[in-house]
C-alpha cells in the first residue's frame, strides 16, 4: 500500500479490531455477582469515625468522608472490559460510568486518574490512545481534571477511572435514605446491557444505546439535589431490580415498580426475545427473586434486571425530565413489587 506501518495502523484501527472480542464479559455485566461480593466484604471494616459519612456497610455508590465543615470527599473507582468495538466510544462510556457514582451521591467530580489494562502484544497502542482520548473528552465535559493514572500489561483490555469528588455533607443522596410514599424516578432508559451483548455477538451498532451510555448524570444529579432528593443511586451492573433492591433493603421500604412505565432503548425488547441476555443479568434476577413479588412474566423481569453500563440515576423523589416508574411504600413482605 506504500504507507508507513504506523499510518496503516491508524487507518485500520477502527475497522480491523473488534474490541469486544477481546473481553470475556461485557461492561458492568462482568462485575462480581452482588450476593458473592457481599459475602466477600462481610465483616471487613475500615476506620471507624463520625466523619465517615458513607462506608462499606450499605453498599452505596461511593465512599464519602467529611474533611471539614461543609465539605466531604467522595471517592470511587470503576473499570471494565470493552462493551463496544469502537475504542473512542468505549473510553467515553467507561469515563461517564466512573464519574456517575460521584453524581449518584450528589457530588461533583474534581479529579480522576485512569486505570488501564492493555494487551500490548495483541492490540496496537494507537487504539489505547483512542480509548484515553474518549475518557478525556468526557472528563472535560464534566469539568473534571484527569491527572495520569496506572496502566499494566494485561491479557484482556480494561479501562476506567478512579474519581474523587466533593459534596455537601448535609445534602448527600444516599441509598439508605429512601422514605415511603414517594415517586421513584429513572433518568435514562434501560436495555443497553442486552444491546451491548447483541453488539458483541453480531457487530450491529446501536447508536441510541451508545448515546445513553456516554451521557453524564450531572444534570440529573443537579436536578435531583435542587428538588431536595435525599435518596438516589445509579443503575449499573446489578440492573434496575438489583440496585432498587439494595436501596429498598438499606432504607427499609418496599419499592413498587409499574413495569409499563419503565422506558427502554429501541431494540432492547427484541434483543431479549432473540436471546442476547447476559449471564450477569440472569444472576441479577436470581439474586433479587426471593425478595420480589412479580405480576409480570420472566421476559419482563429480565428486562428490568438487565445489567446496565453507565445507566441513569434511580431517584426516590420527582426529578424534572425523568420518568416516574413507581413508588415507595411502607415495608411489606417483599422489598420489590413489580406489577
Ligand atoms: Co453506582
Ligand atoms: Co460503580
Amino acid at each position: 500500500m506504500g504507507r508507513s506501518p504506523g499510518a496503516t495502523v491508524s487507518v485500520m484501527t477502527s475497522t480491523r479490531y473488534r474490541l469486544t472480542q477481546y473481553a470475556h464479559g461485557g461492561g458492568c455485566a462482568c462485575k462480581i455477582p452482588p450476593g458473592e461480593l457481599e459475602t466477600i466484604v462481610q465483616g471487613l471494616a475500615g476506620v471507624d469515625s463520625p466523619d465517615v459519612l458513607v462506608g462499606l456497610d450499605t453498599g452505596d455508590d461511593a465512599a464519602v468522608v467529611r474533611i471539614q465543615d461543609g465539605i466531604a470527599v467522595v471517592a470511587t473507582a470503576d473499570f471494565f472490559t470493552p462493551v463496544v468495538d469502537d475504542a473512542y466510544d468505549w473510553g467515553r462510556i467507561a469515563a461517564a460510568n466512573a464519574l456517575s457514582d460521584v453524581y449518584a451521591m450528589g457530588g461533583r467530580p474534581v479529579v480522576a486518574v485512569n486505570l488501564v489494562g492493555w494487551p500490548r502484544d495483541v492490540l496496537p497502542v494507537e487504539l489505547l490512545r483512542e480509548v484515553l482520548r474518549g475518557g478525556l473528552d468526557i472528563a472535560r465535559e464534566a469539568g473534571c481534571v484527569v491527572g495520569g493514572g496506572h496502566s499494566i500489561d494485561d491479557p484482556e483490555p480494561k479501562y476506567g477511572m478512579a474519581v474523587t469528588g466533593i459534596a455537601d455533607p448535609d445534602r448527600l443522596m444516599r441509598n439508605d435514605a429512601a422514605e415511603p410514599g414517594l415517586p421513584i424516578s429513572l433518568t435514562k432508559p434501560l436495555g443497553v446491557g442486552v444491546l451491548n451483548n447483541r453488539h458483541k455477538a453480531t457487530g450491529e451498532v446501536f447508536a441510541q444505546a451508545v448515546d445513553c451510555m456516554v451521557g453524564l448524570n450531572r444534570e440529573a444529579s443537579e436536578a435531583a439535589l435542587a428538588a431536595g432528593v435525599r435518596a438516589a443511586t445509579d443503575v449499573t451492573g446489578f440492573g434496575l431490580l438489583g440496585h432498587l433492591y439494595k436501596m429498598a433493603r438499606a432504607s427499609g421500604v418496599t419499592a413498587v415498580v409499574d413495569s409499563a412505565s419503565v422506558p427502554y432503548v429501541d431494540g432492547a425488547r427484541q434483543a431479549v426475545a432473540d436471546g442476547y441476555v447476559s449471564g450477569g443479568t440472569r444472576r441479577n434476577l436470581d439474586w433479587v427473586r426471593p425478595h420480589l413479588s412479580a405480576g409480570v412474566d420472566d421476559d419482563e423481569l429480565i428486562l428490568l434486571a438487565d445489567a446496565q453500563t453507565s445507566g441513569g440515576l434511580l431517584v426516590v423523589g420527582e426529578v424534572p425530565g425523568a420518568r416516574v416508574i413507581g413508588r415507595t411504600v411502607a415495608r411489606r413482605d417483599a422489598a420489590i413489587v413489580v406489577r
Side-chain angles (χ1 to χ4, degrees), residues 31 60-62 76 78 97 100-101 104 233-236 243:
K31 271 185 169 181
D60 215 322
D61 298 296
T76 178
D78 241 298
N97 179 72
S100 174
D101 278 326
T233 190
D234 57 347
V235 182
T236 56
H243 291 283

Side-chain angles (χ1 to χ4, degrees), residues 129-317:
R129 188 180 160 80
E130 281 299 284
V131 176
L132 295 173
R133 188 170 70 85
L136 273 175
D137 279 357
I138 290 296
R140 186 177 302 117
E141 187 186 332
C144 178
V145 172
V146 179
H150 182 62
S151 50
I152 58 166
D153 193 357
D154 186 333
E156 189 181 44
K158 298 180 184 80
Y159 175 61
M161 285 175 166
V163 185
T164 304
I166 54 171
D168 179 342
D170 298 320
R171 297 183 68 209
L172 295 174
M173 299 196 290
R174 310 173 57 105
N175 76 345
D176 62 355
E179 304 273 347
L182 291 173
I184 300 170
S185 303
L186 181 65
T187 69
K188 286 185 188 178
L190 302 180
V192 299
V194 69
L195 288 176
N196 285 347
N197 221 28
R198 182 169 196 144
H199 169 70
K200 180 177 175 173
T202 68
E204 292 165 270
V205 174
F206 300 97
Q208 191 195 359
V210 173
D211 285 348
C212 270
M213 291 185 285
V214 303
L216 289 176
N217 280 328
R218 176 180 51 196
E219 279 171 36
S221 174
E222 288 170 359
L225 281 175
V229 164
R230 312 297 308 194
T233 190
D234 57 347
V235 182
T236 56
F238 304 152
L240 173 73
L241 288 184
H243 291 283
L244 190 56
Y245 168 58
K246 283 178 71 171
M247 199 176 214
R249 184 182 60 177
S251 302
V253 298
T254 285
V256 181
V257 177
D258 176 13
S259 59
S261 61
V262 176
Y264 291 96
V265 175
D266 292 344
R269 201 168 283 277
Q270 188 60 45
V272 167
D274 292 345
Y276 295 103
V277 177
S278 70
T281 291
R282 295 196 189 282
R283 285 192 293 273
N284 288 341
L285 183 53
D286 289 345
W287 182 58
V288 173
R289 205 186 284 273
H291 316 283
L292 184 68
S293 162
V296 297
D297 66 17
D298 259 37
D299 270 7
E300 204 65 37
L301 292 178
I302 283 287
L303 276 164
L304 292 170
D306 186 43
Q308 302 298 281
T309 297
S310 191
L313 296 188
L314 176 60
V315 176
V316 176

